[in-house]
């Protein structure tokens, strides 16, 4: 087995490499944006054959640094695409965050790779293209996101039995229980302090707004072929039940484990085999499992995301782009936390996009980004 990792220097990418090291899995190709110090260490440690670096200046620097090796460095989007379809790799982990994951994921599918899907924006924006494409090329998609991995695991052995409902759990993030008034005063460092999961900055902010759960509802809809109304979001503060499936006979099958991404990443790499994992045992003694309805009025991003999916077409692509831009503005201290939902809502109202195919998705994404950036205060 050989793996390509898109986004190897991010949180999921680093943990994927940890799993590959522990299980002696070959890594042939990796890609990153700008972090060439880490990319160089990873490239040498795993003796990869190809590194994609998005930023062209950084790519040139890394090429010089690796001139004592046979490792090839390719810059820009082409780098990501070549990593995605690298001939020797049979599995591609899409660990980069954001819409930038779309075209490399398409390339991996067209090359017939098994996809370990960690980039949720791909399905959010283009699920209507990606799922039929994967079917056509016989590319298997194994979810890496902990909730979707849980649902995937709950469906093992279900033999096509109809899903009545997906119970999608959410930790509630760092601002659980806060009022809308209080949310206006929270800071970037508050938002980046997640109670249970250690993740990248973008997804951690999405987790605080509950947008992450909205994106996951859309992702689940595409992955498991259900309607958004059949997906129930439950706040589960303990992050032990990673999600569950309710069947026609009222049976609910859940997957439980400690909240470590290492575990769903490993499952995606070794599926259908389960491999020993020392140090990640779950002990249920003394634990309480609680479930509550989310506060949809205060955390508006959840329903904004779901509404965009129900509106259909390119609305989710517009919604996702508005959110990516708003989160980026928030991380630059240019807007407040509570502005994120307003920006997403205003963009959905202002930007209309239509058309078929990947080009239309990319155009909708660009139009929404344009709208947000033009309206952003300097
Ligand atoms: Mg998740």
């Amino acid at each position: 087995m050989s793996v390509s990792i898109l986004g190897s220097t991010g949180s999921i990418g680093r943990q994927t490499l940890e799993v590959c090291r522990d299980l002696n899995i070959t890594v042939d190709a990796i890609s990153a944006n700008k972090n060439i110090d880490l990319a160089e260490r990873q490239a040498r440690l795993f003796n990869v054959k190809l590194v994609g670096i998005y930023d062209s200046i950084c790519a040139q620097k890394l090429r010089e640094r690796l001139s004592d090796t046979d490792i090839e460095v390719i810059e820009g989007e082409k780098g990501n695409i070549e990593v995605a379809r690298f001939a020797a790799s049979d599995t591609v982990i899409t660990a980069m965050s954001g819409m930038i994951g779309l075209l490399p994921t398409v390339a991996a599918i067209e090359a017939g790779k098994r996809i370990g899907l960690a980039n949720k924006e791909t399905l959010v924006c283009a699920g209507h293209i990606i799922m039929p494409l994967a079917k056509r090329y016989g590319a298997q998609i194994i979810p890496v996101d902990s909730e979707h991995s849980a649902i995937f695991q709950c469906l093992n052995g279900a033999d096509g039995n109809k899903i009545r409902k997906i119970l999608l759990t959410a930790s509630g993030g760092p601002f659980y229980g806060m009022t809308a008034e209080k949310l206006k005063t929270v800071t970037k460092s508050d938002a980046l302090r997640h109670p249970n999961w250690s993740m990248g900055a973008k997804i951690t902010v999405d987790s605080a707004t509950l947008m992450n759960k909205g994106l996951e509802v859309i992702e689940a809809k595409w992955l498991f072929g259900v309607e958004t109304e059949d997906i129930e979001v439950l706040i589960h503060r303990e992050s032990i039940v990673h999600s569950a499936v309710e069947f026609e006979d009222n049976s609910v099958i859940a997957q439980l484990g400690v909240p470590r991404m290492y575990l769903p990443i490993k499952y995606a790499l070794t599926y259908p085999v389960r491999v020993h994992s020392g140090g990640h045992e779950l002990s249920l003694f003394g634990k309480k499992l609680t479930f509550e309805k989310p506060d949809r009025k205060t955390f508006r991003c959840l329903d904004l995301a779901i509404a965009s999916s129900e509106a259909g077409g390119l609305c989710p692509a517009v919604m996702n782009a508005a959110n990516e831009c708003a989160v980026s503005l928030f991380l630059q201290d240019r807007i407040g936390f509570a502005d994120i939902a307003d920006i997403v809502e205003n963009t959905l109202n202002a930007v209309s996009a239509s058309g078929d195919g990947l080009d239309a998705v990319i155009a909708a994404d660009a139009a929404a980004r344009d709208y947000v950036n033009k309206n952003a205060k300097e």
Side-chain angles (χ1 to χ4, degrees):
M1 177 182 189
S2 158
V3 174
S4 281
I5 304 171
L6 294 161
S8 66
T9 58
S11 171
I12 298 285
R14 293 195 307 267
Q15 294 178 78
T16 304
L17 284 170
E18 244 179 83
V19 175
C20 291
R21 184 200 58 202
D22 293 349
L23 302 184
N24 267 323
I25 293 172
T26 304
V27 179
D28 273 323
I30 58 175
S31 78
N33 179 23
K34 278 183 172 178
N35 188 350
I36 52 172
D37 290 341
L38 182 54
E40 181 185 359
R41 282 203 301 278
Q42 292 175 338
R44 289 184 187 275
L45 189 64
F46 285 86
N47 199 15
V48 306
K49 300 188 180 65
L50 172 65
V51 184
I53 296 291
Y54 195 77
D55 181 276
S56 58
I57 296 167
C58 291
Q60 186 49 35
K61 275 192 201 147
L62 183 62
R63 202 171 283 128
E64 284 159 21
R65 289 197 203 170
L66 290 173
S67 57
D68 62 314
T69 70
D70 294 330
I71 302 169
E72 188 183 359
V73 178
I74 302 180
E75 64 196 54
E77 176 111 62
K78 185 165 188 285
N80 280 328
I81 288 179
E82 292 306 322
V83 167
R85 61 179 179 212
F86 192 75
S89 300
D90 43 62
T91 301
V92 179
I93 304 291
T94 63
M96 72 250 279
S97 96
M99 163 74 177
I100 193 161
L102 178 62
L103 292 179
T105 305
V106 168
I109 290 171
E110 287 174 348
K113 310 290 188 192
R114 177 193 267 200
I115 315 287
L117 189 81
N119 172 279
K120 61 189 70 171
E121 291 85 353
T122 296
L123 281 187
V124 168
C125 299
H128 59 296
I129 299 171
I130 295 292
M131 295 312 288
L133 195 71
K135 203 170 176 193
R136 175 149 35 106
Y137 284 92
Q140 195 173 21
I141 296 182
I142 317 274
V144 170
D145 206 348
S146 62
E147 295 80 358
H148 305 82
S149 173
I151 298 160
F152 185 79
Q153 294 181 54
C154 294
L155 291 172
N156 278 346
D159 291 332
N161 271 294
K162 193 171 168 287
I163 297 171
R164 182 194 283 162
K165 206 190 267 179
I166 285 177
L167 307 176
L168 189 72
T169 53
S171 71
F175 303 145
Y176 163 81
M178 281 191 188
T179 60
E181 214 39 52
K182 185 94 214 304
L183 279 187
K184 288 184 184 151
T185 65
V186 300
T187 64
K188 181 167 84 178
S189 64
D190 296 334
L192 290 176
R193 220 174 291 130
H194 196 280
N196 301 346
W197 293 94
S198 150
M199 306 177 290
K202 197 262 177 180
I203 182 174
T204 304
V205 175
D206 283 348
S207 204
T209 59
L210 290 198
M211 175 54 90
N212 183 51
K213 213 45 56 177
L215 300 179
E216 289 182 358
V217 167
I218 305 174
E219 195 185 3
K221 163 187 138 162
W222 289 115
L223 279 170
F224 305 111
V226 297
E227 300 298 327
T228 52
E229 65 201 37
D230 300 326
I231 303 170
E232 177 132 50
V233 174
L234 300 87
I235 300 293
H236 169 53
R237 295 293 286 159
E238 298 82 8
S239 295
I240 291 172
V241 175
H242 296 310
S243 278
V245 176
E246 181 184 311
F247 292 96
E248 285 296 322
D249 63 351
N250 300 332
S251 257
V252 175
I253 310 282
Q255 189 263 340
L256 285 69
V258 296
R260 293 285 172 270
M261 283 310 297
Y262 184 95
L263 299 172
I265 292 169
K266 191 173 66 162
Y267 185 75
L269 285 169
T270 64
Y271 169 81
V273 177
R274 292 183 182 275
V275 179
H276 174 76
S277 226
H280 296 104
E281 297 86 357
L282 169 68
S283 169
L284 283 171
F285 291 112
K287 300 268 190 341
K288 282 198 177 77
L289 303 179
T290 60
F291 303 93
E292 296 162 60
K293 292 203 161 139
D295 177 356
R296 294 174 178 266
K297 284 208 177 80
T298 305
F299 297 91
R300 295 165 52 230
C301 285
L302 173 60
D303 282 343
L304 285 170
I306 294 171
S308 79
S309 175
E310 286 170 353
L314 297 168
C315 289
V318 169
M319 177 279 300
N320 177 70
N323 180 60
E324 275 190 38
C325 278
V327 171
S328 155
L329 291 170
F330 174 69
L331 289 172
Q332 296 165 45
D333 289 317
R334 290 175 60 192
I335 60 168
F337 183 79
D339 296 328
I340 297 174
D342 290 341
I343 288 176
V344 171
E345 185 172 36
N346 294 341
T347 311
L348 273 168
N349 289 333
V351 177
S352 63
S354 58
D356 298 320
L358 280 175
D359 289 348
V361 173
I362 291 164
D365 176 88
R369 280 169 202 274
D370 207 40
Y371 177 81
V372 175
N373 289 325
K374 269 193 188 135
N375 288 281
K377 294 163 257 171
E378 279 309 314

